[in-house]
Amino acid sequence: MTGNRVLDMTRGSPVKLLLRFALPLFLGNLLQQLYNLADTSIAGHLLGDGVLSQIGATAALYGLITNTAFGLNSGLALTVSRSFGAANAQKLKQSVCWMTILSTLSALLMTAGFLLFRRELLSALQTPADITEGALRYLTIILAGIPLTMAYNLEASLLQAVGNSKTPLLFLLISSLLNVGLDFLFMKPLAMGVQGAAAATILAQGVSAGLGFLYILRYYPQLGFGVKECKAKGKFVLKMYWTGLSMALMSTVYNIGSVILQSSVNALGNLYIAAQVGGRRLAELFYTPGLGLV
């Protein structure tokens, strides 16, 4: 691994180091919100307010899922970053192994749980009857893609744990551009409707996850692990998982409130849902990017 792929946070000016590391995170959050705004705009223009309402009815739930993935992996990566900073190669591999296992198990549990109760979730969200089936089709594809969402966040958190916050930004840029292109392809020429919007999102995330895996495999061999590196005491694993869950909860407190609010908005009808999702995307553009500097 070449030196320019690692930012040593223990040497140099603390202010410069923090800004150098945090700026790509800020830009990544900004890019994510710009994409969300563009995605909503494309769906509204190509498919109309009815389909936009089907997407908007579950927007808060999707935000909860993505922020859970982000928070959980960020928390799990704390053990990785400490091991990397201490130059403890054995513990580093052990931490990466259990981060991968815990993240994967969490993704599978979330996917199975949400898919199993997706109709009940839409009912709890007070989704209007005339858009329930469309919202269900959109939500099913989004939920099936949770492992890909978790995989990208896992890889991004691993890279950030070893001081590389620029490469995840690059993969996010590629994913965003691909997502917009697939939106146009799936929604218009292929006429896939609401399923096209969901499929574009999941496929773009899958590409990012694949690029992240190949990049880590090539440039970060010290993050690789075998079965013998996965041996650890239960206390170590439990502490690591609780750290991840704590970060996940911190990341999703706002989203939990948004899900409750979404239920009230859905009860008002389709016009309000479409208006709210547009306003929500615009508002997130202004306050979410700053989280990268916190």
Side-chain angles (χ1 to χ4, degrees), residues 232-248:
K233 294 181 179 179
K235 186 177 180 181
F236 170 84
V237 177
L238 187 61
K239 182 179 179 180
M240 189 174 181
Y241 195 49
W242 275 116
T243 302
L245 288 178
S246 298
M247 288 289 288

Side-chain angles (χ1 to χ4, degrees), residues 261-273:
L261 176 62
Q262 185 76 66
S263 176
S264 299
V265 172
N266 288 353
L268 298 175
N270 297 348
L271 181 62
Y272 291 92
I273 297 173

